[in-house]
Each structure stands twice: as C-alpha cells, then as structure tokens.
C-alpha cells in the first residue's frame, strides 16, 4: 500500500492505495465519483478522460500513485457555482450527446482542446477528439458544440 | 395558472435527459454500489471448441477475499438454459445454451466457471487460479464449411443447419423463364461488433427473507428480461423487479437475455448478498452478441431494359455457436425488405441458419434490414452498370410511384405511404448530382490517381415492431404492443409512464412534447418515467425503431382518454352538457359561452378534491393506453455519397454525403437529425472500417478496440441531412421510426460509391469493409479485394499480430 494525496474536484484526499490501482477505479470505487465512466480496456475510447494538473488524461491509463500530489478535475467538478462550463452548455444546446456515456470524457477532452486551440477549425476539432469515441452522434453535433463553446469562450 | 402552449410537437426542444449526463450525475449500472455487494467474474474459454475435461475452483477459493466459486456443473440445475424467443420454424435446431458451459465450449469466450469475491481486483486475481482442462475439438468458423457437417458445433444435433426458412411471393421460376437478363451477385455481410459505449453490467439485490430480487441491468428490455428471467430461473415473476438505470447505448446488443444476468440472479439467491458483474470491453467483444455475418446470393430476373421481373435470394446467416434471444429472427426480418421500393412479379427467399464456433449473432442496429437493403441497393447499381443505364434512372423505372400508395409488395407488406420521387429530387439537388457526374468523367479522362465515385441508396425499411398478430405469424414469442399511462397530479403537473426503455433516444423529451401538445400543458410540467418494472409495469421496450410509432403514439392515446374523462368533470363544473364542452390548448370551454371555461389544471385539482363531482364518475383522470399497431411503419429516403478513392493507396475519403429521409411527421427535429447522424456513422463504419475477424482456430483476432476500428470524429465526414414529410397513415401522429434508417441506408450508398469510382478498373465489387488494403489489392488483382488478410499484416485497424490474437484478455493488473 502506498499513501497518496490529491485534490479531486476541489476536495483534498489522502488514501492508502495498492500501487496497481487505476486512477479511474480510485475515482469511481474509492471516492464514489461515478461521473467518470469506463468504456474500454485499451485506452481507445476516452470515456474516462479527466484533467490532471490542467491537462486531459485518460484515467484508465494512469495509476493512482502516478497522480499523487496532483490536482484532478472530473466532469463532476467542471461546473462552477452552479453554472455549467461553456462546453457542457454547448453540448446541451447543440444536441451533442444521446446516451451520454462518452459525454464526460468527450467534454473533458474538448475543454483541453480549446485550451490548446481556442479557435479550432472543423478538421482540428475532429483530429483533436480522435482519442474519444462516440457511438451515438456520428460526431457532427459534437463538432458543432465545440465550435459553439469556442465562440462563447472567446466572448467571455 | 400556467399559460398553454400548443404545437410543442415539431419543435427542436432541448433534451430533458441532458442535465445529469453532462454533469456526471448519470446512474449507470456499474455506478450502483450496495452494502455488502460482491463482485463476480467469469472464467472464459480460450478455445473455440473443446470438451471440458475438468474444472477445479479449489485454488480460487483460497485466494483472499473470495467467497464462492462454481463450475458450470455446480450450478447447472439452477441456471437452466438461456431463452431464444424466435423459433422461426417448427423444426429449428435449438440446442441447450447453458449460461455456464458444462460439457463443451463452443466459442472463445464461452463461460465455464464463476468466482465471487469482495472487490473487482480480488475477483480478477482469483479467476486466474481456476484450473480448467480442455480436450480440443476442431473449430468451424466459415458457414459454407460448417454446412458440410464435417465438424459439428452441437454434436447431438447431427447438423450445423439450424433452420431453412422459405418465402415465396409469386412464381419466380415462371418469371425467370420469361426474362431477358438473369443477373447474379454474391454479397457478403461481414460480422460486426455493436460496441455500445457502455459495457454491459448487472447488479442483483436480493431481499432474502421475501425471496424478492431487484435486477439492475444495462438492458434495452427490462420488461422482456423480467419475463424471461422468471421463466429461466423459476423465480415467480411478481418477486422480480427489473430496472434499467441510465443505459449507455444498445444498438441491439442489449436486446437480450444474457448468461451473466441469469448467473447474477442465481448467485444473489444462493449467497443472499448483492452481486455485481461488469464486463471489460475486450471481454464484451467475446461475450456480447455480434451482428450481420451473412452471405447473400442474389438473382434478379429482368427485361433487357432493366424492368425487374423477379428476385431470388439465397441467404446464409451465421447464428454463431448458440441461439440468443432473437438470433434466428434477424435474417427472417430481412426477408421482407429485399424487394425494397421496387415492383416485381415474383420473389423467392430462402434463408439457412448456420451454427459456427463463434460468438452468437443477434439484432444489431437494423437487424436484417441493413443486410437486405445493402444487397438490393448494390444489385440495382450493379445491374444498371451491366445494362448501361444511369443507376438512378433504373431505380426510377422500377420503384413504386407516389400515386400507388398504399401498395402491397411482392413480400406481402402494405406500405402505407411514401414519396420516393420527392426525397430523390431533394437529395439530388442538395448533392449536385449532375456536376459530380461531370467531375467523375473528367477524372476518368485524365486518369487522375484519385477517382470519384457516386453511390446511391434509395431505401425503405419496415420498423415500429410491430402488429402482434404479424409477429405471431412469424413465430415470434411476444407481442408488439406498447403501453402508456398518464397521471394527472393535483397541482396540474403530469406524469407519463411509458413501456419503452430509452438508452439515448430522448424519449423523455419527445414523450413530454407529445403529452404537452395533447393535454395543452407546458412541456416543462411533464415528467416521463420508464425502465423500472415497478414504475412502468407494462412494456415491450425499445428496439426495431418502435418506440415512437408504438410507445409515443400510446402516450398520445392515453392523453385522449384523460381529456375524455376531464370533459365529464368540466361539464359538471361548468353546468353544461358534455356534448357542449370543447377542448383546445389545455382549456375546456362551453360552446357559445367563451367565458365559461376551466383549465385542465383546474380540472385536475377539482378531481383531487372530488368535493363537487359528477355522480357515478370515478374521481381520477388517470388513463392507460395499450396500442397494438395496425401496421409497421415504412420510413424511406434517398442517400447519396460521393467518395474519393486514391487508387495508389486504396484510401477512401467521403467527400460529401447527403441524406434525405422521410420519417413522416416529426416530434423533435433535433433528435431526429441526431438519430440520422448516428445511424449514418454506423452504416459508414460497416462500409469502410469495421469487421470482426476470426482466425481458422476460432480466435477473435479483432478482440479489442485497438483491432476493431470504431470510427472516430476524424474518420467521418460532415453530413448534409434534410427531410421530406409524407405522414404515415397507420397512426394518428403520422410518425414513422427513425432509429435505424441511417444505418440501413448508408452502407450501400458508400460501397456503391467506392465501386463506382473503380469501375474503370474492371472492378464490380469490393468486400466490406473497403479498407485501403482491400481496395488496393482489388485494383492490383481486378478482384473484390478478398477476405481480410491474415494476422501479422497491417490492416486498417492497426497491427494484427499473433501475440494479441485470442489470448485471455483479463489483464493481471486490474479488471475494468
């Protein structure tokens, strides 16, 4: 067992974990943060994407001990003071989700994409979200939503 | 008092479902954690076919945190056999399907033992300690090999032939004798893996003292599952509650009764504690149903001008190793769609179901109709090429014209409505058909290494499953009705209970629109409840693009009954004759006295109080409706695809894709468009990317998302979508199903485009998926590109290597 400390969605945690414990299992099973789902076992789908120290990461591909000392934001910590993040709002407005299972990871990846490129082209959005799979939407409205969020962010 | 708003139907209302999904507050089955809950995992066969010599779970029982471990033989008496609800012929071979195999394993992934432990890591460790001895038997993965009956999947059956299902409309041989042209093609439907983003999971919570059980499952069919679990496990139905919490997509893969659901129930009963199972993705690729996997031998009899006279289809459908819930019914459902939108004098269909040592197939988005549509739409384009006619013109000369509806087809279905001319005209306009043909000719003339192809699909489909008596005539085990209830609350708010089980389709939003319009209440005042057999006791669930046309219409009908009841109360309160009461926009008024009126909310409150109520009338406005539809619904449309094929690399890029669909009246255009987008993506995926590949030993080579290429955003184009509106005449809302249309239509449009691009190379077929490798080989060999190449080569989806093929996929480091 290893002692780790991290901040998740603004709350500080200290825990003893097995070195092999995946970050996503720590979030889900130990902290009860079920908002970050698991969609595969090969790091292809991106459903489990979170922010680790401001950068998106697939939490199924990271051991909890690797995140020791980090600040993590999950989909459950993205809205601030009851206000949705621009990307969350845009996903709702543009119908960028259907079943919603990929949505937490897709939103977290899109937030990171816009951080790196605040004014992406369609192709840049499609390429930037390549690591996140959606089976429902055909991605068209996801692309629309990311554009719309970029516009909102630029105005604010 | 709230103001009323009419015609919420037709508006792109934003979804009520989204709030919890975009904030991470969804309740997926794997999120459910109960006090004392145990986790179980299955030991799965690494061999496609073998006798089980022995199963020893004793070492697993010694592992820390393990509470129980069982072999198939240990639980055989409790587990029973998994149900198949669609025995398509009386003499269908229907072998036992034990949730845990007892004597033989018949596909890689067939479960042989179960271990129960305190947490998911402990159980993942412990299953490695289960020792299973196998005596290998030969695998048979190819249907035509299997039909030789040299290797029997079920030796006691004596054959791999599951059934032969025939259909005849008219006399095909007679019309063939008069034909100028007899045109033959073989098309191959590769095997697909549905890949709903949420892996399957099940949790069972026992209430031991009362012998009651709550089953939480990632299912599309909580109601059917309840019936089937009661019948399979022998727990009285009234003691079972099934809940489908938030479900992350299905596409047919969750339209089933799975081994793990039965095992979970039996374990919870035996151990008296809640149990949970969650599949890893690679486990699911073996253990969750696959789709398609058919060989289609098509023959068209026609005049020399291309007038269709008759169609013959000889279909082989791969069942896999066992029959799941509707496995044999999938190709049978397709039988009625091969003739599609075309008129002809005779139709002959033969389907042979075949067992192989592979994961069972079952319904995958479209279930039989994408296969049929692919074959006929490919054949129409290929026939047009053969006789030197424009492929759209050939279709036009053969399709049912809009004046001819209702039209009874050679397959015996009556299409209630449609306008193929209108959808086609709109589609060609958006597409720029003539300009693209010009560009194609130019590229051909200059031998451009990048060739342009134009693909057409003028599809229809039958959906909205279904009139119960039709399902009965096809030997399906259940009806096709749907239930809805409306509860008028004292405060004037409305609860709608539906028997559908949405998992992404947005029923809460669309049903709210239907109820709001019918009752004249605000959209926001309607709550929709579903997918819990205690909350929604009657239902037939969600599949086959049935939810709106059956379940949504049932909501509308229940609302009409509410209004009828409320009219009596209004008449009493307004001291008028019931026949003088008019209802519009949520308000009851007296004919000729516009000031004498009561809102539906006022009537609800008055009914709750029931102080001043008409004699002999029950104080309740609540109403139920159960709708058994009179017909299927027949959405149609014209899809056009322009594909650029790089003849030097074999790479295909979709340059433009236009989909004009006619799904009748639309409740929520935003949701409908989303359904089309998603459907297109899945159909395009079959055309270009996805294929479940087995090696000769029966190993699933594409066993993970690394090897099975589900397209990402970068792999798909921007779609242009539009609609024409020809209302269905078979239901009062004029609606048709939309969930599968995009998938059904798009696969042939794309492959027709790829083939069209390569016609100058003498190519008239490319096997799906049209990967760069296969297209390149086709160009080199003047062939269809053949089967996917053997392991060890680089295909579209990544590197296929011997080291990843068919190995035990449970990683030692953790089970996801």
């Amino acid at each position: 067992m290893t002692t780790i400390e991290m901040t998740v969605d603004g709350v500080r945690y200290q825990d003893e974990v097995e070195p092999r414990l995946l970050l996503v299992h720590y979030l889900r099973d130990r902290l009860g943060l079920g908002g970050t789902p698991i969609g595969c076992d090969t790091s292809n789908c991106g459903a489990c994407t979170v922010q680790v120290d401001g950068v998106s990461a697939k939490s199924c591909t990271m051991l909890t001990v690797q995140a020791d000392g980090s600040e993590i934001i999950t989909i459950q910590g993205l809205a601030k003071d009851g206000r949705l993040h621009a990307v969350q709002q845009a996903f709702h407005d543009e119908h960028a989700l259907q079943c919603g299972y990929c949505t937490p990871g897709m939103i977290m990846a899109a937030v990171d994409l816009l951080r790196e490129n605040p004014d992406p082209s369609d192709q840049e959005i499609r390429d930037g979200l390549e690591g996140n799979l959606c089976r429902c939407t055909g991605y068209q409205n996801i692309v629309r939503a990311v554009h719309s969020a970029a516009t909102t962010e630029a105005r604010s | 008092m709230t103001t009323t708003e009419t015609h919420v139907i037709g508006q792109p209302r934003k979804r009520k479902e989204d709030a919890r999904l975009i904030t991470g507050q969804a309740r997926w089955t794997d999120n459910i954690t109960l006090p004392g809950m145990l986790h179980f995992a299955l030991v799965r066969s690494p061999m496609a076919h073998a006798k089980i010599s022995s199963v020893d779970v004793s070492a697993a029982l010694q592992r820390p945190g393990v509470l129980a471990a069982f072999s198939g033989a240990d639980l055989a008496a409790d587990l029973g056999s998994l149900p198949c609800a669609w025995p398509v012929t009386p003499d269908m071979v229907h072998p036992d399907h034990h949730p845990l195999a007892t004597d033989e394993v018949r596909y890689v992934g067939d479960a042989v033992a179960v271990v129960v432990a305190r947490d998911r890591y402990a159980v993942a460790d412990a299953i490695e300690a289960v020792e299973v001895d196998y005596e290998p038997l030969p695998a048979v993965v190819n249907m035509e090999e299997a039909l030789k009956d040299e290797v029997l999947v079920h030796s006691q059956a004596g054959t791999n032939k599951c059934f032969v299902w025939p259909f005849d409309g008219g006399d095909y041989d007679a019309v063939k004798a008069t034909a100028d042209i007899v045109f033959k093609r073989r098309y191959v439907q590769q095997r697909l893996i549905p890949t709903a983003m949420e892996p399957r999971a099940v949790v069972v919570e026992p209430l031991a003292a009362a012998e009651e059980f709550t089953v939480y499952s990632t299912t599309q069919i909580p109601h059917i599952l309840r019936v089937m679990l009661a019948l399979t496990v022998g727990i009285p139905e009234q003691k079972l509650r099934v809940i489908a919490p938030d479900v992350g997509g299905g596409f047919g893969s969750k339209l089933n009764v799975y081994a793990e659901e039965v095992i979970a129930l039996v374990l919870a009963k035996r151990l008296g504690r809640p149990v949970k199972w969650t599949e890893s993705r690679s486990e699911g690729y073996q253990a969750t149903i696959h789709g398609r996997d058919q060989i289609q031998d098509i023959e068209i009899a026609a005049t020399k001008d291309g007038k269709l006279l008759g169609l013959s289809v000889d279909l082989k459908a791969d069942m896999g190793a066992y029959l799941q819930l509707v496995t044999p019914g999938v190709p049978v459902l397709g039988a009625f769609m091969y003739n599609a939108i075309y008129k002809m004098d005779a139709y002959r269909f033969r389907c042979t179901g075949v067992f192989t040592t592979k994961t069972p197939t079952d319904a995958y988005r479209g279930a039989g109709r994408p296969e049929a549509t692919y074959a006929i739409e490919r054949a129409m384009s290929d026939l047009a090429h053969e006789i030197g006619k424009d492929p759209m013109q050939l279709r036009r000369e053969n399709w049912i014209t809009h004046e001819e509806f209702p039209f009874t087809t050679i397959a015996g279905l009556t299409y209630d409505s449609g306008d193929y001319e209108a959808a086609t005209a709109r589609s060609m306009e958006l597409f720029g058909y003539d300009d693209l043909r010009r560009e194609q000719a130019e590229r051909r003339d200059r031998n451009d290494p990048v060739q342009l192809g134009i693909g057409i699909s003028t599809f229809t489909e039958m959906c909205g499953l279904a009139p119960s008596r039709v399902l009965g005539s096809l030997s399906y085990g259940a009806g096709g009705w749907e239930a809805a209830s409306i509860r008028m609350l004292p405060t004037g708010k409305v609860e709608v209970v539906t028997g559908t089980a949405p998992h992404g389709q947005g029923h809460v939003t669309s049903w709210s629109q239907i109820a709001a319009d019918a009752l004249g209440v605000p959209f926001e005042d309607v709550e929709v409840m579903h997918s819990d057999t205690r909350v929604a006791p009657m239902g037939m669930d969600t599949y086959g693009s049935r939810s709106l046309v059956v379940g949504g219409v049932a909501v509308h009908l229940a609302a009409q009954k509410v209004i009828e009841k409320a009219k009596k109360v209004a008449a009493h309160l307004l001291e008028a004759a019931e026949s003088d009461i008019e209802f519009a926009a949520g308000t009851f008024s007296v004919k000729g006295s516009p000031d004498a009126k009561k809102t539906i909310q006022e009537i609800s409150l008055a009914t709750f109080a029931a102080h001043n109520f008409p004699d002999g009338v029950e104080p309740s406005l609540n109403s139920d409706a159960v709708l058994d539809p009179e017909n299927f619904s027949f959405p149609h449309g014209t899809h056009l695809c322009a594909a650029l094929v790089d003849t030097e690399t074999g790479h295909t890029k979709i340059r433009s894709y236009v989909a004009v669909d006619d799904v009748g009246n639309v409740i929520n255009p935003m949701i409908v468009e989303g359904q089309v987008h998603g459907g297109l993506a899945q159909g395009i995926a079959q055309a270009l990317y996805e294929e479940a590949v087995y090696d000769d030993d029966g190993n699933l080579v594409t066993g993970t998302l690394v090897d099975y290429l589900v397209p990402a955003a970068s792999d798909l184009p921007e779609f242009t979508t539009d609609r024409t509106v020809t209302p269905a005449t078979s239901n009062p809302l004029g609606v048709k199903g939309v969930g599968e249309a995009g998938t059904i239509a798009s696969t042939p449009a794309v492959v027709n485009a790829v083939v069209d691009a390569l016609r100058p190379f003498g190519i008239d077929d490319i096997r799906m998926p049209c990967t760069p490798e296969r297209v390149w080989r086709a160009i080199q060999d003047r062939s269809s590109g053949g089967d996917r190449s053997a392991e060890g080569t680089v295909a579209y989806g990544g590197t296929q290597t011997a080291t990843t093929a068919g190995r035990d996929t449970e990683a030692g480091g953790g089970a996801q």
Side-chain angles (χ1 to χ4, degrees), chain B residues 777-794:
Chain B
R777 275 197 278 139
I779 294 168
Q780 306 312 307
D781 307 345
R782 300 288 188 264
S783 73
S784 69
D787 289 334
R788 183 153 167 173
S789 55
E791 59 187 315
T793 65
V794 178

PDB file of all heavy atoms in Angstrom, chain B residues 777-794:
ATOM      1  N   ARG B 777      -5.622  -3.957 -53.076  1.00  0.00           N
ATOM      2  CA  ARG B 777      -5.483  -5.307 -53.635  1.00  0.00           C
ATOM      3  C   ARG B 777      -6.476  -5.534 -54.775  1.00  0.00           C
ATOM      4  O   ARG B 777      -6.156  -6.179 -55.773  1.00  0.00           O
ATOM      5  CB  ARG B 777      -5.698  -6.360 -52.540  1.00  0.00           C
ATOM      6  CG  ARG B 777      -4.419  -6.642 -51.758  1.00  0.00           C
ATOM      7  CD  ARG B 777      -4.530  -7.945 -50.994  1.00  0.00           C
ATOM      8  NE  ARG B 777      -5.243  -7.777 -49.747  1.00  0.00           N
ATOM      9  CZ  ARG B 777      -6.120  -8.629 -49.268  1.00  0.00           C
ATOM     10  NH1 ARG B 777      -6.439  -9.713 -49.956  1.00  0.00           N
ATOM     11  NH2 ARG B 777      -6.696  -8.408 -48.109  1.00  0.00           N
ATOM     12  N   ALA B 778      -7.675  -4.988 -54.610  1.00  0.00           N
ATOM     13  CA  ALA B 778      -8.686  -5.145 -55.658  1.00  0.00           C
ATOM     14  C   ALA B 778      -8.203  -4.506 -56.960  1.00  0.00           C
ATOM     15  O   ALA B 778      -8.374  -5.068 -58.040  1.00  0.00           O
ATOM     16  CB  ALA B 778      -9.999  -4.511 -55.211  1.00  0.00           C
ATOM     17  N   ILE B 779      -7.590  -3.345 -56.816  1.00  0.00           N
ATOM     18  CA  ILE B 779      -7.094  -2.662 -58.013  1.00  0.00           C
ATOM     19  C   ILE B 779      -5.966  -3.485 -58.653  1.00  0.00           C
ATOM     20  O   ILE B 779      -5.921  -3.641 -59.877  1.00  0.00           O
ATOM     21  CB  ILE B 779      -6.610  -1.227 -57.658  1.00  0.00           C
ATOM     22  CG1 ILE B 779      -7.806  -0.378 -57.216  1.00  0.00           C
ATOM     23  CG2 ILE B 779      -5.890  -0.590 -58.845  1.00  0.00           C
ATOM     24  CD1 ILE B 779      -7.421   0.943 -56.566  1.00  0.00           C
ATOM     25  N   GLN B 780      -5.093  -4.018 -57.829  1.00  0.00           N
ATOM     26  CA  GLN B 780      -3.975  -4.817 -58.378  1.00  0.00           C
ATOM     27  C   GLN B 780      -4.476  -6.083 -59.061  1.00  0.00           C
ATOM     28  O   GLN B 780      -3.991  -6.475 -60.116  1.00  0.00           O
ATOM     29  CB  GLN B 780      -2.982  -5.224 -57.266  1.00  0.00           C
ATOM     30  CG  GLN B 780      -2.440  -4.080 -56.430  1.00  0.00           C
ATOM     31  CD  GLN B 780      -1.940  -2.920 -57.250  1.00  0.00           C
ATOM     32  OE1 GLN B 780      -1.112  -3.094 -58.150  1.00  0.00           O
ATOM     33  NE2 GLN B 780      -2.445  -1.721 -56.991  1.00  0.00           N
ATOM     34  N   ASP B 781      -5.477  -6.733 -58.420  1.00  0.00           N
ATOM     35  CA  ASP B 781      -5.903  -8.063 -58.887  1.00  0.00           C
ATOM     36  C   ASP B 781      -7.139  -8.029 -59.765  1.00  0.00           C
ATOM     37  O   ASP B 781      -7.596  -9.082 -60.203  1.00  0.00           O
ATOM     38  CB  ASP B 781      -6.244  -8.980 -57.686  1.00  0.00           C
ATOM     39  CG  ASP B 781      -5.139  -9.056 -56.669  1.00  0.00           C
ATOM     40  OD1 ASP B 781      -4.017  -8.646 -57.015  1.00  0.00           O
ATOM     41  OD2 ASP B 781      -5.397  -9.498 -55.538  1.00  0.00           O
ATOM     42  N   ARG B 782      -7.742  -6.843 -59.937  1.00  0.00           N
ATOM     43  CA  ARG B 782      -9.048  -6.791 -60.612  1.00  0.00           C
ATOM     44  C   ARG B 782     -10.041  -7.714 -59.895  1.00  0.00           C
ATOM     45  O   ARG B 782     -10.702  -8.546 -60.514  1.00  0.00           O
ATOM     46  CB  ARG B 782      -8.947  -7.198 -62.083  1.00  0.00           C
ATOM     47  CG  ARG B 782      -8.025  -6.325 -62.908  1.00  0.00           C
ATOM     48  CD  ARG B 782      -8.677  -4.965 -63.135  1.00  0.00           C
ATOM     49  NE  ARG B 782      -7.936  -4.131 -64.090  1.00  0.00           N
ATOM     50  CZ  ARG B 782      -7.038  -3.192 -63.745  1.00  0.00           C
ATOM     51  NH1 ARG B 782      -6.745  -2.971 -62.493  1.00  0.00           N
ATOM     52  NH2 ARG B 782      -6.451  -2.453 -64.664  1.00  0.00           N
ATOM     53  N   SER B 783     -10.067  -7.584 -58.560  1.00  0.00           N
ATOM     54  CA  SER B 783     -10.863  -8.518 -57.761  1.00  0.00           C
ATOM     55  C   SER B 783     -11.721  -7.729 -56.780  1.00  0.00           C
ATOM     56  O   SER B 783     -11.806  -6.506 -56.840  1.00  0.00           O
ATOM     57  CB  SER B 783      -9.948  -9.448 -56.977  1.00  0.00           C
ATOM     58  OG  SER B 783      -9.339  -8.722 -55.906  1.00  0.00           O
ATOM     59  N   SER B 784     -12.341  -8.441 -55.877  1.00  0.00           N
ATOM     60  CA  SER B 784     -13.129  -7.771 -54.837  1.00  0.00           C
ATOM     61  C   SER B 784     -12.265  -7.472 -53.618  1.00  0.00           C
ATOM     62  O   SER B 784     -12.767  -7.044 -52.592  1.00  0.00           O
ATOM     63  CB  SER B 784     -14.300  -8.659 -54.423  1.00  0.00           C
ATOM     64  OG  SER B 784     -13.816  -9.797 -53.734  1.00  0.00           O
ATOM     65  N   GLY B 785     -10.995  -7.734 -53.709  1.00  0.00           N
ATOM     66  CA  GLY B 785     -10.125  -7.471 -52.565  1.00  0.00           C
ATOM     67  C   GLY B 785     -10.047  -8.640 -51.606  1.00  0.00           C
ATOM     68  O   GLY B 785      -9.187  -8.685 -50.746  1.00  0.00           O
ATOM     69  N   GLY B 786     -10.959  -9.564 -51.756  1.00  0.00           N
ATOM     70  CA  GLY B 786     -10.889 -10.803 -50.985  1.00  0.00           C
ATOM     71  C   GLY B 786     -11.143 -10.630 -49.512  1.00  0.00           C
ATOM     72  O   GLY B 786     -11.591  -9.592 -49.044  1.00  0.00           O
ATOM     73  N   ASP B 787     -10.843 -11.686 -48.797  1.00  0.00           N
ATOM     74  CA  ASP B 787     -11.013 -11.658 -47.351  1.00  0.00           C
ATOM     75  C   ASP B 787      -9.980 -10.723 -46.745  1.00  0.00           C
ATOM     76  O   ASP B 787      -8.988 -10.386 -47.364  1.00  0.00           O
ATOM     77  CB  ASP B 787     -10.812 -13.059 -46.767  1.00  0.00           C
ATOM     78  CG  ASP B 787     -11.974 -13.960 -47.134  1.00  0.00           C
ATOM     79  OD1 ASP B 787     -13.077 -13.435 -47.369  1.00  0.00           O
ATOM     80  OD2 ASP B 787     -11.767 -15.181 -47.188  1.00  0.00           O
ATOM     81  N   ARG B 788     -10.263 -10.383 -45.512  1.00  0.00           N
ATOM     82  CA  ARG B 788      -9.254  -9.593 -44.810  1.00  0.00           C
ATOM     83  C   ARG B 788      -8.000 -10.453 -44.684  1.00  0.00           C
ATOM     84  O   ARG B 788      -8.067 -11.650 -44.478  1.00  0.00           O
ATOM     85  CB  ARG B 788      -9.768  -9.238 -43.419  1.00  0.00           C
ATOM     86  CG  ARG B 788      -8.811  -8.361 -42.650  1.00  0.00           C
ATOM     87  CD  ARG B 788      -9.563  -7.531 -41.644  1.00  0.00           C
ATOM     88  NE  ARG B 788      -8.654  -6.921 -40.693  1.00  0.00           N
ATOM     89  CZ  ARG B 788      -9.050  -6.038 -39.801  1.00  0.00           C
ATOM     90  NH1 ARG B 788     -10.316  -5.695 -39.745  1.00  0.00           N
ATOM     91  NH2 ARG B 788      -8.209  -5.515 -38.958  1.00  0.00           N
ATOM     92  N   SER B 789      -6.874  -9.800 -44.827  1.00  0.00           N
ATOM     93  CA  SER B 789      -5.637 -10.567 -44.859  1.00  0.00           C
ATOM     94  C   SER B 789      -5.365 -11.184 -43.495  1.00  0.00           C
ATOM     95  O   SER B 789      -5.910 -10.792 -42.479  1.00  0.00           O
ATOM     96  CB  SER B 789      -4.494  -9.669 -45.275  1.00  0.00           C
ATOM     97  OG  SER B 789      -4.457  -8.567 -44.414  1.00  0.00           O
ATOM     98  N   ALA B 790      -4.471 -12.145 -43.519  1.00  0.00           N
ATOM     99  CA  ALA B 790      -4.214 -12.935 -42.322  1.00  0.00           C
ATOM    100  C   ALA B 790      -3.527 -12.112 -41.245  1.00  0.00           C
ATOM    101  O   ALA B 790      -3.021 -11.022 -41.500  1.00  0.00           O
ATOM    102  CB  ALA B 790      -3.362 -14.125 -42.698  1.00  0.00           C
ATOM    103  N   GLU B 791      -3.504 -12.681 -40.058  1.00  0.00           N
ATOM    104  CA  GLU B 791      -2.834 -11.990 -38.965  1.00  0.00           C
ATOM    105  C   GLU B 791      -1.370 -11.784 -39.309  1.00  0.00           C
ATOM    106  O   GLU B 791      -0.786 -12.542 -40.068  1.00  0.00           O
ATOM    107  CB  GLU B 791      -2.969 -12.817 -37.691  1.00  0.00           C
ATOM    108  CG  GLU B 791      -2.386 -14.212 -37.800  1.00  0.00           C
ATOM    109  CD  GLU B 791      -2.724 -15.016 -36.560  1.00  0.00           C
ATOM    110  OE1 GLU B 791      -2.586 -14.476 -35.475  1.00  0.00           O
ATOM    111  OE2 GLU B 791      -3.127 -16.171 -36.697  1.00  0.00           O
ATOM    112  N   GLY B 792      -0.839 -10.731 -38.725  1.00  0.00           N
ATOM    113  CA  GLY B 792       0.555 -10.443 -38.994  1.00  0.00           C
ATOM    114  C   GLY B 792       0.735  -9.332 -40.012  1.00  0.00           C
ATOM    115  O   GLY B 792       1.809  -8.782 -40.164  1.00  0.00           O
ATOM    116  N   THR B 793      -0.335  -8.967 -40.694  1.00  0.00           N
ATOM    117  CA  THR B 793      -0.229  -7.864 -41.635  1.00  0.00           C
ATOM    118  C   THR B 793      -0.910  -6.646 -41.045  1.00  0.00           C
ATOM    119  O   THR B 793      -1.679  -6.740 -40.100  1.00  0.00           O
ATOM    120  CB  THR B 793      -0.897  -8.196 -42.976  1.00  0.00           C
ATOM    121  OG1 THR B 793      -2.289  -8.345 -42.744  1.00  0.00           O
ATOM    122  CG2 THR B 793      -0.342  -9.473 -43.559  1.00  0.00           C
ATOM    123  N   VAL B 794      -0.612  -5.530 -41.636  1.00  0.00           N
ATOM    124  CA  VAL B 794      -1.193  -4.295 -41.130  1.00  0.00           C
ATOM    125  C   VAL B 794      -2.462  -3.990 -41.921  1.00  0.00           C
ATOM    126  O   VAL B 794      -2.423  -3.810 -43.118  1.00  0.00           O
ATOM    127  CB  VAL B 794      -0.200  -3.131 -41.264  1.00  0.00           C
ATOM    128  CG1 VAL B 794      -0.821  -1.841 -40.773  1.00  0.00           C
ATOM    129  CG2 VAL B 794       1.046  -3.436 -40.468  1.00  0.00           C
TER     130      VAL B 794
END
